[in-house]
Amino acid sequence: MANIKTNEASRVAHILSVLESSKKVKQGNVSFEGWGFTSDRVFISRMIKVDDKIPEIDKNNLISESIFEASKNGQLNNASFIRSLSYNENKYLNMPFKKFRMVGQLSLMSSLCSSHLNILDSRITFGLSRNSQLYRKHKNATQHVERGNVPAQPLKYTPFSVSCMARTSTHAFDIAGRTFELWRGCFNLGINRSRTWRITFDGRNPINALLAHPVYTIHEPNGELASDSWYYDSTYQTEGALINQYEIANQGRKCFEILRKKLYSHPYSDVVINAITRYVRALDHVSYEMAFIQLWSICESLTLTTRTESKRTVKLIKAMYHDGDRVDVILQILLEFRNRTVHFGEHSQDIEFLLFHIKNLVEDLIFFHAFNRYSLNSLEESVNFLDLGLNIENLSMKEALLKKAIKRAMRN
């Protein structure tokens, strides 16, 4: 049920009281004086918790709708707002699922694509007919975007669609987008894994080989657009070369198939999927400093160290390797660069070299969790496992102490 986050009730109450003082009700219609409603809605949305299955755009719409309804029916305050929001949240969650199709384009030659893939309860179809209504409606949207002040769009990418079941078109974009980014992330992992370093002397290009067109559209099953809007990836900077070599495409395909099998019954698959989708989005950036920071953030999330000192992140990543001394040197250098970039905006001529090193570590960390060779049951258990380290003497001492502790507990 919708609720206010811990320690945020007084702040929400203050914003709602400001809105209450500026509201006008005329013939049953509510309005708010001034231009502050949008910013107030943004602030409130950051302090409100709703069901995780509700996409951010739908959440924002529910919050706006609930503010107006609560204002219309009486005084706007925490109680009336949450009551209205809980009702609308429940109504949203009880909406029936229906079929949608997300359409996009990617930098892989159509002859190297599979025809269909089933993943995460969705179905990806490659190589759509350019005469189909589905593709023509999508193409119209991309042409409309081209007239805006945006970078030049790719012209020869292969169209694809992702079919899924969802409550709304926004919900469909969340589900289908996650499916596509998981597949694209696994595919790029397979290609990137064999590329441990790179030095370029011209303009910066994404590390990823498999890139996506920046425009996505959501359709009804008959091909008609599900809404008048489309989705544009504002981080898009440049067109990528079309992958046209079987050997490269096969690297990506094999990695996807391996990871799909591993994730099918994985005890904490959501964590690994989230890491893969974050990884692929990070390496789309032509800002290598931004990509570096995002990859370091993945290291923190996969070691549960987002709120602890960075030296613990280093310790846990180092524990994956038998050659710990060399890895420790690399991690300390990467950590120093990360800190100087975050706090002082540092740039370096060696950024591509540093980015590939953090990329390699993140890939090792993702595969460590995805393969889960030691049958660990959760991310927390995996982190505790790494925390034990690889020193045989220390492990033997801990084993001896644990045996004594178990013996003592059994006596009690």
Side-chain angles (χ1 to χ4, degrees):
M1 188 177 80
N3 60 77
I4 300 172
K5 293 179 180 178
T6 305
N7 300 325
E8 298 290 6
S10 61
R11 295 185 179 91
V12 173
H14 171 72
I15 294 176
L16 292 178
S17 67
V18 172
L19 286 172
E20 172 67 19
S21 65
S22 67
K23 83 174 182 181
K24 299 293 180 183
V25 182
K26 186 177 181 180
Q27 296 179 344
N29 295 317
V30 175
S31 62
F32 296 94
E33 290 183 330
W35 300 94
F37 178 80
T38 299
S39 59
D40 288 340
R41 194 276 304 154
V42 170
F43 295 143
I44 289 173
S45 70
R46 308 303 297 179
M47 298 184 283
I48 298 297
K49 173 71 175 172
V50 298
D51 194 287
D52 291 336
K53 293 187 287 292
I54 302 177
E56 184 180 15
I57 295 176
D58 285 344
K59 172 188 174 182
N60 293 340
N61 290 336
L62 290 177
I63 288 174
S64 295
E65 181 182 348
S66 300
I67 289 173
F68 278 97
E69 287 180 357
S71 299
K72 181 179 178 180
N73 296 327
Q75 185 177 16
L76 179 61
N77 53 38
N78 285 13
S80 64
F81 167 64
I82 290 298
R83 184 165 55 249
S84 179
L85 181 59
S86 296
Y87 174 81
N88 288 324
E89 176 193 42
N90 187 60
K91 186 169 66 172
Y92 179 95
L93 293 174
N94 284 313
M95 290 175 65
F97 280 72
K98 64 176 187 175
K99 187 175 181 179
F100 290 94
R101 295 182 75 176
M102 182 188 82
V103 177
Q105 301 174 61
L106 73 160
S107 64
L108 179 64
M109 185 176 285
S110 58
S111 61
L112 298 178
C113 294
S114 305
S115 56
H116 301 285
L117 284 174
N118 295 315
I119 177 174
L120 295 182
D121 298 323
S122 301
R123 183 177 179 85
I124 306 178
T125 303
F126 298 95
L128 305 179
S129 169
R130 296 180 186 271
N131 294 321
S132 67
Q133 179 169 233
L134 190 70
Y135 177 77
R136 285 188 284 106
K137 292 289 184 179
H138 172 76
K139 188 63 177 177
N140 288 341
T142 64
Q143 290 172 343
H144 185 86
V145 173
E146 282 174 358
R147 294 193 286 270
N149 185 24
V150 297
Q153 297 180 35
L155 298 177
K156 297 182 180 180
Y157 280 14
T158 299
F160 69 90
S161 74
V162 183
S163 301
C164 67
M165 301 296 291
R167 297 182 178 91
T168 66
S169 61
T170 305
H171 189 210
F173 178 71
D174 260 28
I175 294 173
R178 182 170 180 260
T179 297
F180 173 65
E181 289 294 77
L182 173 60
W183 172 77
R184 191 171 72 92
C186 293
F187 201 97
N188 275 303
L189 262 170
I191 298 171
N192 295 343
R193 190 81 169 136
S194 62
R195 300 173 175 177
T196 56
W197 68 279
R198 186 182 80 180
I199 298 177
T200 54
F201 299 99
D202 49 7
R204 291 182 176 184
N205 292 305
I207 304 302
N208 288 329
L210 182 61
L211 302 174
H213 192 288
V215 179
Y216 300 88
T217 49
I218 304 295
H219 302 252
E220 304 287 354
N222 63 3
E224 289 289 340
L225 289 171
S227 70
D228 295 331
S229 61
W230 55 83
Y231 297 86
Y232 180 80
D233 180 3
S234 59
T235 65
Y236 169 77
Q237 294 292 326
T238 184
E239 178 179 4
L242 205 64
I243 298 175
N244 57 12
Q245 297 178 36
Y246 173 82
E247 293 77 12
I248 294 176
N250 201 42
Q251 287 177 334
R253 190 180 299 111
K254 284 182 177 179
C255 184
F256 166 71
E257 291 298 340
I258 290 169
L259 288 176
R260 176 165 62 170
K261 292 177 183 177
K262 295 294 182 182
L263 294 173
Y264 180 74
S265 58
H266 197 284
Y268 54 101
S269 59
D270 282 352
V271 172
V272 182
I273 290 170
N274 179 259
I276 293 171
T277 56
R278 290 175 63 190
Y279 162 88
V280 74
R281 287 194 291 267
L283 293 180
D284 282 344
H285 281 291
V286 293
S287 169
Y288 292 168
E289 291 79 11
M290 177 65 72
F292 185 99
I293 296 302
Q294 292 184 1
L295 290 179
W296 186 270
S297 177
I298 296 172
C299 289
E300 292 178 334
S301 65
L302 288 180
T303 54
L304 293 175
T305 55
T306 56
R307 297 185 179 182
T308 61
E309 291 185 356
S310 296
K311 63 182 181 181
R312 178 160 170 77
T313 311
V314 170
K315 175 191 174 185
L316 292 168
I317 296 175
K318 177 183 171 182
M320 291 193 300
Y321 302 92
H322 287 280
D323 185 13
D325 291 339
R326 174 171 171 76
V327 174
D328 184 65
V329 171
I330 294 171
L331 282 165
Q332 294 296 342
I333 291 170
L334 296 178
L335 174 58
E336 181 185 4
F337 177 74
R338 177 263 179 197
N339 290 341
R340 294 190 65 82
T341 301
V342 169
H343 298 298
F344 305 107
E346 180 174 301
H347 292 261
S348 171
Q349 293 295 319
D350 297 322
I351 180 58
E352 190 170 28
F353 177 82
L354 297 171
L355 177 59
F356 264 78
H357 272 286
I358 188 70
K359 174 196 81 74
N360 298 338
L361 292 171
V362 169
E363 289 165 359
D364 288 345
L365 196 51
I366 287 174
F367 278 102
F368 169 81
H369 287 290
F371 278 73
N372 195 22
R373 290 189 175 91
Y374 304 98
S375 302
L376 303 165
N377 294 314
S378 66
L379 177 60
E380 292 77 9
E381 188 172 312
S382 295
V383 170
N384 289 336
F385 175 80
L386 287 174
D387 204 18
L388 293 172
L390 291 171
N391 185 289
I392 296 297
E393 290 185 8
N394 288 341
L395 289 171
S396 297
M397 288 176 59
K398 290 174 182 178
E399 181 184 27
L401 283 173
L402 283 171
K403 286 181 178 179
K404 292 175 181 178
I406 291 171
K407 185 175 181 181
R408 177 191 175 202
M410 291 177 67
R411 284 177 178 172
N412 293 336

